[in-house]
Amino acid sequence: MHFGSFYRLLRSIELAQKCSIEHYEIDLCAHDFTLNALNTSDIDETSLSECDLILCQHFFGVPFEQNLLFQLGRKYDIPILEDCVQTGSLYGEYRGHQLADVMIWSCGLDKTPSCFGGGLGYFCNTKHGQALYEKVRNMTDGFQVDSLRDRAVSLLNQAIHLIFTRNHACAATLVAIIGHLVYYRNEAYTKYYELALKVRTNKSITPFQHQSSLFLTQPSIAQLDSILYGLRKNYEAVSGNELRKHALFLENIPSQFHSALFPWITEKTLSAYADNKGIGEFTWVYSKSGDRVELNEFLSEHLVITTINTTWVHHSASTLKENNAQFICENLTYLPNIHEMNDRQIVKLAKILTAYCEYKKF
């Protein structure tokens, strides 16, 4: 698949190793964002059998059904790497597919577990899992330990983004208030979502991207300690609160608008949320008409602070005639994180989104 932030890592590997990675692409269904490969007729098995790796990814904080890809990987003896970052975290019931060879999770300051950057990889006791473990270990043994300077700069960049995207210390609120004061004074100001987009696309301050090392460093002792600390934390209350807040949010938006704002939230998805009891990293909204700027303008006028998606990216060299994943990536917006809102704010946001749907006549 060619959707998600893991594509950035693949691009980094290409740059670091000065090689070219060819992709066999499987698109997403435009209707509900499920995988366009739920039966063998959707997949060119001849092309897939020539792949060196199958990458299975999950979206929107819930395990994503893609059993066929795992089964085909085993059928053609292809290593399977499962990106579990968006399954609802390590603290959900889902801990990876039984047919995967390697499973990975992220450990940034804004992830769960919340750590000083980096990630976790679990190499399964399979032929490919053990072979990949040996290759990765041999490769990383030759890396230098992350320097204090690079780690400090990375943590500072992550902290800046975390402060504003999670509105810690009311930082985002203060920026929004200042912006509106400037607007009323001279009738020209940069809206918060525009400012956030400029910050997030500025590569000199974008988190999680070591321009000097392109990820090729060993973790420091402090980073490993932070991961151990994160793993030992109890997130049960957080998980339960998320389920309650999600229910409150959806209850206050008429059901006929759900598919327009959140196409991925189907009855099957809601059941998976309830069964998995995971923790999502983001709260998303979708612009099904391709009017993301208009949606952000509407929310900004109603004093809702949003951030345009730059986390998930599509495969820029795609050969698909209709690239649904690209359209999805280009029309996702971060809402205020549901964990950072109280019930009153959640209900208010739901009513604003309802007003937007009525305005668009969805």
Side-chain angles (χ1 to χ4, degrees), residues 334-346:
Y334 304 94
L335 292 171
N337 190 286
I338 200 162
H339 290 290
E340 307 299 323
M341 293 188 288
N342 57 37
D343 289 2
R344 179 187 61 81
Q345 292 168 327
I346 291 172

Side-chain angles (χ1 to χ4, degrees), residues 82 84 95-97 100-105 120-124:
E82 185 177 11
C84 294
R95 298 298 179 88
H97 199 283
D101 294 300
V102 184
M103 293 166 284
I104 58 173
W105 288 267
L120 300 170
Y122 181 79
F123 295 82
C124 300

Side-chain angles (χ1 to χ4, degrees), residues 32 246 250 258-259 262-270 273:
D32 59 5
H246 271 151
L250 293 176
H258 289 185
S259 61
F262 323 105
W264 61 92
I265 299 183
T266 62
E267 289 299 322
K268 186 176 181 179
T269 305
L270 290 173
Y273 274 124

Side-chain angles (χ1 to χ4, degrees), residues 172-193 296-305:
T173 303
L174 289 173
V175 171
I177 291 173
I178 292 171
H180 280 280
L181 290 176
V182 172
Y183 169 72
Y184 288 121
R185 186 176 183 86
N186 57 27
E187 298 184 357
Y189 79 111
T190 300
K191 298 178 177 64
Y192 182 81
Y193 75 86
N296 278 270
E297 289 277 355
F298 188 93
L299 292 170
S300 180
E301 290 171 0
H302 288 78
L303 306 182
V304 177
I305 298 173

Side-chain angles (χ1 to χ4, degrees), residues 1 24-45 48 56-59 63-72 97 266 268-269:
M1 293 178 59
Y24 171 68
E25 303 175 88
I26 300 174
D27 206 0
L28 301 179
C29 175
H31 174 64
D32 59 5
F33 298 3
T34 53
L35 194 64
N36 272 350
L38 296 181
N39 59 71
T40 53
S41 63
D42 296 323
I43 295 180
D44 180 355
E45 290 195 39
L48 186 140
C56 295
Q57 296 176 277
H58 300 274
F59 314 132
F64 195 58
E65 197 281 306
Q66 46 198 316
N67 289 332
L68 181 59
L69 285 181
F70 288 97
Q71 293 164 2
L72 290 174
H97 199 283
T266 62
K268 186 176 181 179
T269 305

